[in-house]
Amino acid sequence: MRKPSLRLAISAALALLATAAHAQDPLSYARYNEVRTTDLYLDLKADFSRKTLAGYAELTLNWLDKNVRTLVLDTRQLKIARVQVQNDDGRWVPVSYLLDRPDPKKGQALRISLRSQPKKVRVYYNTAPTAGALQWLTPMQTLSGKRPFMFSQSQAIEARSWAPVQDTPAVRFTYGARIEAPAGMRVVMSAENDPQATGAGGWKFRMPQPVPSYLLAIAIGEIDVRNVGPRSAVYAEPGRIEAAAFELADTEKMIAAAESLYGPYRWGRYDMIVLPPSFPIGGMENPRMTFLTPTMIAGDRSLNDLIAHELAHSWSGNLVTNASWKHWWLNEGFTTYVTTRILEILYGVEVADMNLQVEQEEALASLKEIPAAKQALLTRDPDVNPETYTDEGLAYPKGAWFLRTLEQRAGREVFDPFLRGWFDQHAFQSATTEQFLVYLRANLLDKHPNVMSQAELDEWLYGAGIPASAQRVVSQRFKAVDAQRDAWLKGEQATADLTARSWSAPEWMHFLNDIDNKASAQQLRELDQTFALKTSKNNEIAYRFYLASVHAGYDVREQLDAFLMSVGRQKFVVPLYTALLKNPRDAAWAKSVFAKARPRYHPETQKSVDRLLKK
């Protein structure tokens, strides 16, 4: 047996100390300052007819408080069959347990009564068909139409709907699994995946690095695999595998670019799976197996910034994790900043600047829709009320903008080693903003006090909006687009004279964002007739064109119907339904489309549109 390295041992000890110091996560029942999960083993069977996973979860425990005799785990809609503990002689014996009344946000606490402090506990259970983390697709919802498909989305607190765990990012654990699935179907997890595995005796997995519960992930279906690099492969439905492999051919270059900035990739392999259309988000950074939306496949690798973002999480988010969702910006703000740096190395400053300008402009535009109280990166309120957390979407660009401001003022020769040091010193740990501020002062601001004052630091973290001192990036290529846009909107430049055939995806996105709610139906018709935007294979471009068309009254119903029936990504679906429902001439049509499309969407997407309909 290989002995753990000293570095990993030290990291584990530091993680334990850090966890003990964190305030209780208000979204978890687990008393992780008393006892902490160090390893999880899942032995489960997938039943597609019942839409359930059934079996047991075995938790290895480290008891911090020697007086405690109750283990509290998070669950949601789990049907518990029995609970056992392992005695010192190795025998498994039953123990009593109690499930609290369900809470609509947090689920149910599973309270296990103990006479001692066992090292291992087993919970036998099955999931509900309505488990929030699990999307069970019928064959008609897949590309081939031959077999069903299932995938998970555990973030933020849905891991508890398919495993009884301490469901908080403050707790990290290694895990293993054995999963039984129907013949002809492959299982993948956020762990070590063997491309040569056959599933005989069950699909077996091991995740040797400690991860938080929200990074538990599983997918089961008709899945093929292709290598795209020396340490990367892509998994996808057979009908999509070749397109996915082409789109992801730059993955190794991205890994190398990130390593050049922030040190070695510490997770072994970086594999990816392109999921069916109902996947509700762009990507999920599940370690060793990033989950991706098929909407990133454009046929020309023009949307690879999504891959760069999910890869960046291998340092910011997966390696150093927000200790609770109050500190969400430590995951997403850092990752958004790192993404731009990766894109700059791979594709040059011009491309990076265009992506960054779109990001900043969309952030500023979003402020009109976000209450001022939710525009801060961090609330000063005690960590007890999730309703006071920052807007999730704004945390991405505002957090990145804050870090970019520090970089611009300190210079990259100072800032890059500073940021790498944050990842190195907090590797495989969960951290709070307060811990980052201690590190920031000791390693940057105390040495370079002119970089940022305390007042400005407070404005970035706790203030509404974007500070006036923030520098906006200006892309020279966008300037040329802006000049044509202004002349076109005024009718001074004909649609046929636009140089748009040579525009990149970011240039089109910038243009379409800026003409939304300004261009007339006739102008959009001319734009479509000239550049075939209704049938664009780039989903980012198509979405923006559909949105502007709905606002202007240009008829795109045929294509929009097909889009809403085949795309389940919330970023696209929710704004489109919002626009349609606000318009009396489109509202009834939108409701009829949603009635057809709803079964194809993930439960979170269903809830989001259901809320719009209630309004």
Side-chain angles (χ1 to χ4, degrees):
M1 182 181 292
R2 235 173 104 191
K3 294 183 179 179
S5 70
L6 179 61
R7 178 153 49 98
L8 277 178
I10 292 173
S11 292
L14 290 173
L16 194 57
L17 290 172
T19 300
H22 296 156
Q24 174 70 29
D25 182 344
L27 297 177
S28 174
Y29 293 109
R31 301 173 184 171
Y32 49 86
N33 291 335
E34 299 175 352
V35 55
R36 185 169 181 266
T37 306
T38 58
D39 186 73
L40 172 70
Y41 180 76
L42 298 172
D43 192 299
L44 301 171
K45 182 176 181 178
D47 187 329
F48 279 80
S49 63
R50 291 186 171 89
K51 298 182 179 179
T52 62
L53 295 173
Y56 69 83
E58 180 178 303
L59 295 86
T60 302
L61 305 170
N62 180 19
W63 295 88
L64 305 175
D65 186 332
K66 301 307 177 185
N67 297 313
V68 171
R69 293 296 183 271
T70 302
L71 172 64
V72 184
L73 300 175
D74 294 302
T75 75
R76 188 192 303 280
Q77 295 186 319
L78 297 185
K79 184 176 181 180
I80 310 298
R82 63 186 186 279
V83 180
Q84 298 178 334
V85 299
Q86 189 175 42
N87 283 344
D88 291 340
D89 60 7
R91 290 186 302 114
W92 291 93
V93 297
V95 292
S96 60
Y97 63 90
L98 178 68
L99 274 171
D100 286 359
R101 287 185 176 181
D103 176 89
K105 289 184 180 178
K106 295 171 62 175
Q108 294 174 276
L110 171 61
R111 303 182 187 276
I112 302 171
S113 299
L114 304 164
R115 294 183 178 180
S116 62
Q117 294 187 329
K119 185 179 180 181
K120 292 187 176 184
V121 170
R122 276 186 184 174
V123 180
Y124 289 80
Y125 68 99
N126 60 264
T127 62
T130 53
L134 305 180
Q135 175 70 357
W136 299 86
L137 304 180
T138 64
M140 66 171 282
Q141 293 172 308
T142 67
L143 280 183
S144 71
K146 295 178 182 178
R147 293 185 176 90
F149 199 106
M150 185 272 277
F151 65 86
S152 68
Q153 172 56 27
S154 296
Q155 194 181 47
I157 58 167
E158 291 297 346
R160 65 191 69 181
S161 73
W162 68 285
V165 290
Q166 294 180 306
D167 195 10
T168 167
V171 175
R172 304 176 70 105
F173 49 82
T174 56
Y175 83 87
R178 190 189 74 89
I179 310 294
E180 291 185 40
M185 303 179 79
R186 177 186 286 272
V187 183
V188 299
M189 294 191 76
S190 54
E192 294 174 337
N193 289 266
D194 179 6
Q196 307 304 319
T198 64
W203 298 85
K204 300 178 179 66
F205 303 93
R206 187 68 202 156
M207 168 52 86
Q209 291 92 359
V211 297
S213 55
Y214 76 88
L215 294 177
L216 282 174
I218 186 171
I220 307 174
E222 188 183 16
I223 299 171
D224 206 345
V225 58
R226 293 285 187 279
N227 284 320
V228 293
R231 47 183 163 171
S232 298
V234 61
Y235 295 74
E237 294 174 88
R240 187 170 272 136
I241 190 68
E242 298 301 338
F246 173 83
E247 209 77 15
L248 300 170
D250 286 342
T251 301
E252 180 59 31
K253 295 178 184 176
M254 289 189 178
I255 299 173
E259 287 182 319
S260 72
L261 291 168
Y262 306 117
Y265 177 76
R266 307 186 198 207
W267 300 91
R269 290 184 58 84
Y270 183 76
D271 294 331
M272 300 154 284
I273 180 170
V274 178
L275 291 161
S278 60
F279 187 56
I281 55 179
M284 182 61 208
E285 62 272 17
N286 301 311
R288 292 178 177 262
M289 185 60 73
T290 285
F291 282 26
L292 294 170
T293 170
T295 63
M296 54 75 57
I297 297 179
D300 58 4
R301 301 174 186 156
S302 59
L303 300 179
N304 274 2
D305 59 312
L306 174 62
I307 314 302
H309 181 91
E310 303 311 331
L311 170 65
H313 270 299
S314 301
W315 286 264
S316 49
N318 295 4
L319 189 65
V320 185
T321 304
N322 50 220
S324 76
W325 299 109
K326 174 180 178 177
H327 305 279
W328 165 262
W329 81 277
L330 289 178
N331 276 21
E332 296 299 350
F334 276 61
T335 294
T336 305
Y337 169 83
V338 171
T339 300
T340 301
R341 297 296 304 278
I342 294 173
L343 292 176
E344 182 181 317
I345 291 176
L346 286 178
Y347 305 120
V349 173
E350 277 192 339
V351 170
D353 280 354
M354 285 192 292
N355 278 277
L356 189 53
Q357 186 172 334
V358 169
E359 175 187 302
Q360 292 179 351
E361 288 173 347
E362 291 183 349
L364 292 169
S366 74
L367 297 177
K368 293 179 289 187
E369 308 295 329
I370 302 172
K374 286 203 163 192
Q375 293 179 14
L377 284 178
L378 187 71
T379 173
R380 287 187 185 274
D381 294 343
D383 197 359
V384 294
N385 183 8
E387 298 302 326
T388 65
Y389 294 175
T390 185
D391 177 81
E392 288 186 0
L394 187 61
Y396 291 69
K398 186 174 181 179
W401 212 333
F402 167 55
L403 294 176
R404 180 176 171 84
T405 301
L406 294 174
E407 174 226 299
Q408 288 173 322
R409 296 181 186 175
R412 288 185 174 179
E413 67 280 1
V414 171
F415 189 76
D416 286 355
F418 160 83
L419 190 55
R420 176 171 176 172
W422 168 252
F423 297 140
D424 287 343
Q425 293 181 33
H426 298 81
F428 300 107
Q429 297 177 42
S430 299
T432 63
T433 304
E434 290 74 24
Q435 287 173 291
F436 174 70
L437 291 177
V438 169
Y439 178 83
L440 174 66
R441 293 188 182 100
N443 294 279
L444 184 63
L445 298 185
D446 287 352
K447 299 173 183 177
H448 306 277
N450 293 330
V451 167
M452 187 170 287
S453 68
Q454 183 63 48
E456 188 181 1
L457 180 61
D458 287 348
E459 187 181 5
W460 272 107
L461 292 175
Y462 308 111
I466 305 295
S469 59
Q471 289 186 24
R472 294 180 61 173
V473 70
V474 178
S475 161
Q476 296 306 308
R477 284 170 63 173
F478 278 175
K479 275 190 172 183
V481 173
D482 291 345
Q484 293 188 64
R485 176 206 65 213
D486 291 342
W488 180 78
L489 284 170
K490 293 175 184 176
E492 297 171 356
Q493 182 169 353
T495 302
D497 293 335
L498 293 172
T499 62
R501 296 192 191 282
S502 63
W503 287 352
S504 63
E507 286 167 301
W508 268 115
M509 291 159 63
H510 175 70
F511 177 83
L512 291 169
N513 280 344
D514 285 354
I515 68 168
D516 188 19
N517 281 311
K518 297 175 185 175
S520 67
Q522 178 58 32
Q523 285 177 310
L524 287 164
R525 181 179 294 107
E526 291 178 6
L527 205 62
D528 183 31
Q529 290 172 346
T530 306
F531 302 108
L533 296 179
K534 269 193 307 200
T535 55
S536 173
K537 293 182 180 179
N538 185 306
N539 288 286
E540 293 280 359
I541 293 173
Y543 154 71
R544 285 167 172 80
F545 181 73
Y546 295 148
L547 192 62
S549 297
V550 170
H551 288 148
Y554 173 52
D555 184 8
V556 290
R557 285 191 179 183
E558 181 181 348
Q559 291 77 16
L560 186 52
D561 182 285
F563 187 86
L564 291 170
M565 289 292 290
S566 63
V567 172
R569 187 175 177 185
Q570 290 205 70
K571 171 186 174 180
F572 299 150
V573 168
V574 174
L576 286 168
Y577 278 115
T578 300
L580 289 165
L581 291 168
K582 283 182 178 178
N583 193 323
R585 66 174 177 265
D586 292 322
W589 180 80
K591 290 175 184 176
S592 69
V593 173
F594 180 58
K596 295 184 299 178
R598 192 181 189 279
R600 298 174 177 242
Y601 294 155
H602 186 275
E604 289 304 312
T605 310
Q606 293 174 354
K607 291 177 191 174
S608 296
V609 184
D610 285 342
R611 284 194 291 268
L612 292 177
L613 292 172
K614 287 180 181 178
K615 289 181 181 179

